[in-house]
Amino acid sequence: GESVGLHLPTLSVQEGDNSIINCAYSNSASDYFIWYKQESGKGPQFIIDIRSNMDKRQGQRVTVLLNKTVKHLSLQIAATQPGDSAVYFCAENPLSGAGSYQLTFGKGTKLSVIP
Amino acid sequence: DSGVTQTPKHLITATGQRVTLRCSPRSGDLSVYWYQQSLDQGLQFLIQYYNGEERAKGNILERFSAQQFPDLHSELNLSSLELGDSALYFCASSVDVRDGGELFFGEGSRLTVL
């Protein structure tokens, strides 16, 4: 079936460098995408979202890029800090017009920041 | 702190037993969602309630059921437990999605079935 997946299971970056986490999705009906951060022992925490009518959205130190042509989503973290170490999930909501967050999550990428 | 409260945080039980997980949504949120996170399946949507009524159903087994009470707290009931039901169960809440807004997750209930 259709699903959201991640290219890399682990990513190690030096503190201060930029991080890029990638995600491929296959459900062309999805029109809402979210990145979540999950720290050890905690629930997923919203980072940033983007709707399909956009190709870029920026937050504080984070940018999400959406390429609908190749069904690719990425999360860029600028000046990565040790507190950014976590597992990052992309998620899609194929039914965003139905009043429901039936999110399909990717498997996750573990980001480790090297001090 | 997301504002979503889940109890218990940890639960160990035996196969064949039944457990109830409880969730209190953020103040003012009418929608409650249940997700299961396991090592092999990742995060899977189980079910959603909105203002006391079931709104959407995902990959929820027939042995599992949920409800949302008038005070908006929700319970997830897991029965005839199997080893494979061992997982983290997350509750999340949101305002009505039609108005936008994000999904806030609790810290989860870790269920271990022995």
Side-chain angles (χ1 to χ4, degrees):
Chain A
E2 293 183 313
S3 62
V4 175
L6 290 167
H7 294 308
L8 297 173
T10 60
L11 178 65
S12 295
V13 297
Q14 288 288 143
E15 181 178 357
D17 286 353
N18 296 334
S19 303
I20 299 176
I21 302 172
N22 295 304
C23 176
Y25 68 94
S26 57
N27 189 342
S28 57
S30 294
D31 63 355
Y32 181 55
F33 305 88
I34 315 107
W35 280 100
Y36 282 91
K37 172 186 180 182
Q38 187 175 20
E39 296 175 277
S40 181
K42 296 191 175 182
Q45 179 185 3
F46 174 92
I47 301 173
I48 192 168
D49 60 357
I50 189 167
R51 296 203 176 272
S52 59
N53 60 353
M54 303 172 70
D55 53 19
K56 180 179 180 179
R57 190 159 189 233
Q58 288 185 290
Q60 188 176 11
R61 283 202 305 118
V62 294
T63 301
V64 55
L65 299 177
L66 175 63
N67 185 329
K68 295 181 287 292
T69 302
V70 295
K71 296 179 185 171
H72 185 266
L73 196 67
S74 69
L75 176 70
Q76 300 178 0
I77 304 173
T80 312
Q81 302 169 0
D84 295 327
S85 294
V87 177
Y88 290 80
F89 295 93
C90 63
E92 61 177 319
N93 195 35
L95 298 173
S96 58
S100 179
Y101 276 121
Q102 295 183 48
L103 300 177
T104 298
F105 282 83
K107 293 296 184 186
T109 291
K110 183 175 181 179
L111 175 65
S112 297
V113 181
I114 305 165
Chain B
D1 182 4
S2 68
V4 178
T5 305
Q6 290 187 248
T7 57
K9 292 195 185 303
H10 302 276
L11 189 56
I12 302 174
T13 189
T15 54
Q17 296 298 304
R18 172 189 169 95
V19 298
T20 297
L21 309 180
R22 183 189 167 102
C23 169
S24 293
R26 288 191 327 149
S27 178
D29 284 357
L30 299 178
S31 272
V32 170
Y33 303 75
W34 286 98
Y35 281 80
Q36 179 193 57
Q37 186 175 38
S38 60
L39 287 176
D40 56 343
Q41 294 293 323
L43 269 159
Q44 301 263 316
F45 168 72
L46 295 179
I47 197 164
Q48 178 203 2
Y49 279 81
Y50 175 76
N51 204 21
E53 298 204 356
E54 182 183 305
R55 174 171 273 186
K57 216 173 217 185
N59 300 318
I60 187 166
L61 299 172
E62 286 191 9
R63 299 183 286 109
F64 297 179
S65 65
Q67 53 184 328
Q68 186 179 28
F69 295 86
D71 67 352
L72 301 179
H73 92 270
S74 177
E75 293 181 355
L76 179 66
N77 301 297
L78 315 174
S79 62
S80 303
L81 286 168
E82 302 176 0
L83 295 178
D85 297 328
S86 295
L88 263 170
Y89 291 85
F90 286 105
C91 171
S93 74
S94 72
V95 297
D96 189 355
V97 175
R98 274 184 273 268
D99 297 328
E102 63 185 80
L103 195 56
F104 294 87
F105 283 82
E107 297 200 340
S109 292
R110 181 175 293 279
L111 173 66
T112 303
V113 182
L114 301 176

